[in-house]
Structures are given as C-alpha cells and as structure tokens.
Amino acid sequence: MNNIKKSNILVCITGSIAAYKSVDLVRLFKKNGHEVQVVMTESAREFITPLTLQAISGHKVHQSLLDIDAELAMGHIELAKWADVIVIAPCSAETIARLSLGRANDLLGAIILASKAKKFIAPAMNTNMWSNPVTKKNIFYLSSNDMNLIGPAKGDQACGDVGYGRMSEPEEIYESVQVTLNQSLNGKKIIVTAGPTREQIDPVRFISNNSSGKMGFAMAEAAASSGAEVFLITGPVSLTCSDLIKRIDVKTANDMYEESLKLMHSADIFIGCAAVADFKSVEISHQKIKKSFENHFDIRLEKNIDIISSLAEQFPAKTFMGFCAETERVEEYAKEKLISKGLDLIVANDVSKSDIGFDSDFNEVNVYTKEEKKYFQKSTKSLLAIKLINLLGPDSQSIH
Ligand code: PMT
C-alpha cells in the first residue's frame, strides 16, 4: 500500500505469555515509519524486559504512573495527548476488566481514560477465561465504547488448551490498525453477501451448503474498518457482527437477490462471498413430506438466479468482486467465472482442502483479474479479508 499516514503509536503491554509477540508488533510499526512508544504494566514485566522494548522502540519504556522523572518530561497526560493510536497487545482479562470499570490507578488505565486516540485491544487469555460471561460482558462494553477489538485467534494455547484466546499474530494486529488509519474506502458504499442460502423443500427440510459465513463476515468487518458504509446481506449463520455494519438477514437466493438489488443503485462495490444455492426445489410442499413407501423420492430442481452475474450486467459501471469455491481445476474455473459473470476480480479458494475454505477460520486464495493473478498465503480469514479489501482501495499497487 502507498501513502501510509505516519502516526504516533503507543503500544501497551500487559501480563500475558503473548507479551513476547509485542516485540514484533513494535518492530512492524517502526519499520513502516510510525513513531512508537511503549507502556508496560507490572505484570508485563514478568514476561519480557523493558530493556528489550526500549531497544526496539528507541524510547525509554513507560512503566509507572508515579514516576518523578516521567512526570517532569512526559507524564501520563502528555503521553495520552501524544498518541494518535493506542494498541493494547496483549490485553489480559484483568486489564479488560479494569478498563471496563474505568480504573486509573496505574499508568495504562490513566492514559486510556485521558486519551482521545483511536484505541485497539488484542486480547490474550485462556479460552475459558475468554468465553466467561463476565469477560464477554466487559468486551461488549469496551467495544461499544470506541475500543476496536482485534481477535483473539483460535488455536493451541500455552496452557495446553485449544480454543479462542490466543493473541492475534503481530501482522494481523498491524494490518488491522493500518486499515483503520488509512480509511481507504471512506465514502464508499459496499454490499457484502455471506453465508449459505437455504432453499426450502417442505416446512422442515431444505437444500443448503457448508458455508459458515466467516469469510463474508470478515470481509464486511475489514471493509467497515477501512471507512466504507457496509451492508452485509447474510444467509442463515450463527455469527454476530460489529455495530459498524448494517446487517440484513435472508434465507433464499431470491431474498438475497432482492435485498442486493434494492441497495445496488447507490452502492459502489459488490462483494459476493455467499455460497448461494445454485438450485431450488420447483415445488415447496406446505406440509412435511411423509416418508414414502417406495425406495425413491424425486425432487425436481430448477436453477436459482445468479445474483452476482445479474447485478454485474445491470450495473456495469460498479465494481464486482466474486468468490469462487472449487474442488478441482480451481484456476481454470475461476478464470471462466470471472469472464462469464462479468466480474472485476474473483477470489478463488480450493474447498477440497479441509484446513481452509468452508467453516475454517483460515483461508488461502488466488485472486484473478483479466490481466493478473495474485497469491495470498494461508492466514486467518480476518487477516486475509483486510488484504483483499486493500485491493479495492485507491492505493492498491496491483491487481485492480
Ligand atoms: O462461509 P465460510 O465457511 O467462511 O466459507 C467461505 C466460502 C468458501 C463460502 C467463500 O470463501 C467462497 O468461496 N464463497 C463463494 C462460494 C460460491 O458459491 O462459489 P461459486 O463458485 O459457486 O460462485 C461464484 C460467485 O457467484 C460467488 O461470488 C457467488 O456468491 C456468486 N453466485 C453463485 C451462485 C448464484 N446463484 N449466485 C451468485 O451470486
């Protein structure tokens, strides 16, 4: 990306084993031209030394609210004013609880209360602590009050448990902050479709697929973070999205098309991430179909509307990013769909791989335009989504 706005970034490190990753985070911000200062809580210093962070950031590390030297030079109010961005990474359950109470009895708490900077938290804790209703309540409160949440990720934990609670990787934290700073899609209106559609056969049975909605929701969040007004039209999924997004829940491909069409007139970009059912039943029985005494039961199917291709035909001046899920000849089919559906870009994933694609937290894709191909290595869907959304911004160096 070009034109990165240089900012004053305050990285705050709290007590977690993930504290060692903050070294990489500070390094990434510095490498990209930002000015970085570091605050460490007392517990953070049990995991990593201030000397390390001082060497990486090039500044004395701030540790204490009542530091006579610091109060002469850069006290907590000065630091709060200096920062354009505050990133708390890792952010422990204890810090989350204290922040949600508005405590100011240590340097970190006082700075957070005093600062008008953009604030991000990257939680890191045991998976049961993360899923505890008290933590959930605290997180909900903080994220509804100007704290941008990054992660946590799912995976193996230092304590041996597996689940959500790992701090997001430094690259993901860096990209999430950067996309918010750049606001490259400011003023754009974007429609994202996500999840499966559900085509009813009778009142209790339907045709659908394995889409969880994770990729589409990640695209919507990334687009909203980069300043776009985002409408997320989603099939039935069990996910929640942030308040930044206008969510419309639908069931069938037809509903998804109708809702998309209503918004398309004033939209700039359409991102089709939904796994739309290609077929629907010709007849929907009003009563539950009884088990037949014969061995076979035929359902006649008819083609559903192709949402993205119909919209691309009606609105040729707008930008269309499609997704393509294939189990074989991925590149060939992706290129075919790019042309036949009238798209500007297509994101192709090989859904025969069980560790990416449907329902996974990860994905690995190739993006095709008529002229170019770009590979994106396996990463979390949220990090990948940020990178894909960057392709749509004015500063994108390639692909589009
Ligand atoms: O939801 P997840 O579990 O996170 O999984 C993510 C995903 C695998 C669903 C996602 O990455 C993905 O590949 N989405 C597109 C799936 C798909 O339907 O691909 P397709 O090759 O059948 O369709 C190509 C494009 O046409 C897509 O943009 C699709 O939204 C669109 N389409 C397809 C059929 C149809 N009737 N109308 C459409 O608009």
Side-chain angles (χ1 to χ4, degrees), residues 81-153:
K81 286 183 181 161
W82 172 85
D84 302 311
V85 176
I86 300 178
V87 186
I88 310 175
C91 191
S92 64
E94 163 67 11
T95 304
I96 287 169
R98 285 167 17 78
L99 293 178
S100 66
L101 289 173
R103 298 293 303 268
N105 62 339
D106 74 349
L107 183 58
L108 170 54
I111 290 172
I112 293 296
L113 277 191
S115 180
K116 290 193 155 56
K118 271 192 190 311
K119 301 179 187 102
F120 297 82
I121 45 175
M125 67 196 72
N126 166 268
T127 188
N128 294 333
M129 291 169 84
W130 172 249
S131 58
N132 189 294
V134 178
T135 308
K136 287 268 165 255
K137 182 187 82 177
N138 291 338
I139 281 290
F140 178 75
Y141 179 75
L142 291 177
S143 48
S144 335
N145 283 280
D146 286 344
M147 281 277 188
N148 296 286
L149 185 65
I150 305 172

Side-chain angles (χ1 to χ4, degrees), residues 193-197 199 209-219 237 239 253 256-257 270-279 303-311 321-326 333-334 337-338 341 343 345-351 356-363 365 381 384 388:
T193 65
T197 63
E199 312 298 334
N209 57 63
N210 291 329
S211 171
S212 63
K214 287 176 186 171
M215 191 70 238
F217 274 58
M219 292 298 288
V237 295
L239 300 175
M256 191 172 267
Y257 172 69
F270 181 91
I271 301 175
C273 196
V276 183
D278 287 317
F279 295 95
K303 256 193 177 169
N304 256 327
I305 183 163
D306 192 309
I307 302 170
I308 203 166
S309 112
S310 165
L311 294 174
M321 175 188 260
F323 275 69
C324 170
E326 300 294 347
Y333 291 143
K337 286 180 183 172
L338 175 76
K341 292 183 185 241
L343 309 180
L345 310 96
I346 194 153
V347 182
N349 38 204
D350 182 346
V351 289
I356 59 161
F358 283 117
D359 201 25
S360 168
D361 289 321
F362 299 89
N363 214 350
V365 301
K381 284 181 175 168
L384 177 64
L388 295 175

Side-chain angles (χ1 to χ4, degrees), residues 1 179 183-186 188-192 219-220 222-224 226 228 230 268-272 318-323 343-347 367 369 374 376 385-400:
M1 264 185 313
V179 85
Q183 293 289 289
S184 62
L185 294 179
N186 212 350
K188 298 282 182 203
K189 181 167 164 180
I190 299 188
I191 302 171
V192 181
M219 292 298 288
S226 57
V230 178
D268 302 287
I269 300 171
F270 181 91
I271 301 175
K318 313 216 168 184
T319 300
F320 287 86
M321 175 188 260
F323 275 69
L343 309 180
D344 299 284
L345 310 96
I346 194 153
V347 182
V367 180
T369 64
K374 189 167 182 180
F376 291 85
I386 291 170
K387 293 182 172 175
L388 295 175
I389 287 296
N390 280 339
L391 298 176
L392 300 168
D395 293 339
S396 170
Q397 281 176 333
S398 61
I399 280 281
H400 190 236

